[in-house]
Amino acid sequence: MPPDTERSHLALAGKRVVLLLQGGGALGAYQVGAYTALAQACRAAGNAVSWVGGISIGALNAAVIAGPQGRDAAAELEHLWSEILSPPFPPFDWTAAWANIPERLRAGWLAPLAPKYTDWTWTAFNPAGQQNFFGSRVLDPLHNPWFLQWGGPLEADQLAFYDTAPLRKTLDVHVDWASINRGGGMRLSLGATRVRDGEVVFFNTFESQNPLWYRRDASVEQVLASSALPPAFPPIWVDGELYCDGGVSTNTPIEALAEELTAGTAADTIVFLVDLWDRKGSIPRSLDDLYWRQKSIAYGSRKDAAVSVVDTHQLEVEAKRIPPTRLDVCQVMLEWPHGDARQFAFADADFSQTAHAQLCELGRDDMRSAIAQPHRVPGVGGAFAALYRYGTHAKHCETDRAYAQVRERKQRRRSAYETAAEPTR
């Protein structure tokens, strides 16, 4: 039976638990903390995540979760991230020094000049590359694409300022591809953008509802393709097709995987959508703010994506097209505290150890709170489907009301059509 529409917590016991991860570079550390908390909650409920999907950095995290070399996926994630994080440059804790500056100065004109840019600049423009993550072609005229292009057309693997050969080796150390492909374990979906037509494609380790996405064994090439953000990283060939970062086409897995969530299951499902970007935000007051808003709008989830999945499930149950199962979608959204200096235009490139630790802690706290105190979005779903949101839900109230009004109008038109279609006696 479907549970009550209002509840004090999200029940995990006996349900199919799905975890979908957005792309967002260094912000993916938030997902590490969120998964750790979700895995703990699942164990307490005698359950486990049964399907994980991701795009870009979310694909990297998803691959480790689905097939960790060690038994503990959360621990394996931490091991991998500890290897790809950048050392501070120079070796000094800028975050601690910044915290000692009076708050009125940190929140004022000094904010855009915060020392955070020192660590980020070294990370983003490291001329020597980053150990276990990427190699650099920036200072190499024989491999820098700016120079190479003057000699003629370039091959796909030449179209980038960095190469991902180190990441390939790192992933092979931490991901057990054979265990993923053996079957019977956790489902894995990795999203990438097909370069020739811009379409998002998911590499699934199971038979998909989409006939164009045939089942494929998971591979390191798929993860590299999903995270090949141009022009930093080169596009990757997979099965004769060229792919780049999935976030270039769509950064929200639930949009493309909607059919998989609403068909072919006899179990209640709960989906945790861990978003690293929020499309809603305040009016920019600096170039730093403006660039962050541009990224957030481009990479953030469109609210109608999750709404559509939830409403579709409810309608299909009502129409008796699928079994009367329940679908809950919980959107966990990264948001720094208001005025926090850690949020800046290039936070998605800040692979510093300090930022990683902060994001992991925030992800753990937010996931625990999302499970314990979910906020149900009004006007979406019904007795068999619901959308929950944790983080920034207050900013979305206006849009939520608009969706509720649209839903009411659709229901009135549907009722009027059904009444008109009834045969007269």
Side-chain angles (χ1 to χ4, degrees), residues 286-300:
S286 67
L287 289 177
D288 188 76
D289 292 342
L290 182 63
Y291 197 22
W292 181 259
R293 290 299 307 131
Q294 182 269 328
K295 286 184 175 182
S296 298
I297 293 169
Y299 297 127

Side-chain angles (χ1 to χ4, degrees), residues 177-178 180-181 188 190 203-205 216-222:
W177 304 106
I180 297 175
N181 297 324
L188 176 63
L190 305 174
F203 307 117
N204 296 314
T205 59
R216 310 192 201 196
D217 283 347
S219 68
V220 67
E221 283 78 15
Q222 295 170 7

Side-chain angles (χ1 to χ4, degrees), residues 270-291:
I270 184 166
V271 181
F272 289 92
L273 179 60
V274 183
D275 286 353
L276 302 177
W277 305 93
D278 187 3
R279 291 170 62 87
K280 286 189 177 291
S282 57
I283 299 299
R285 298 297 182 184
S286 67
L287 289 177
D288 188 76
D289 292 342
L290 182 63
Y291 197 22

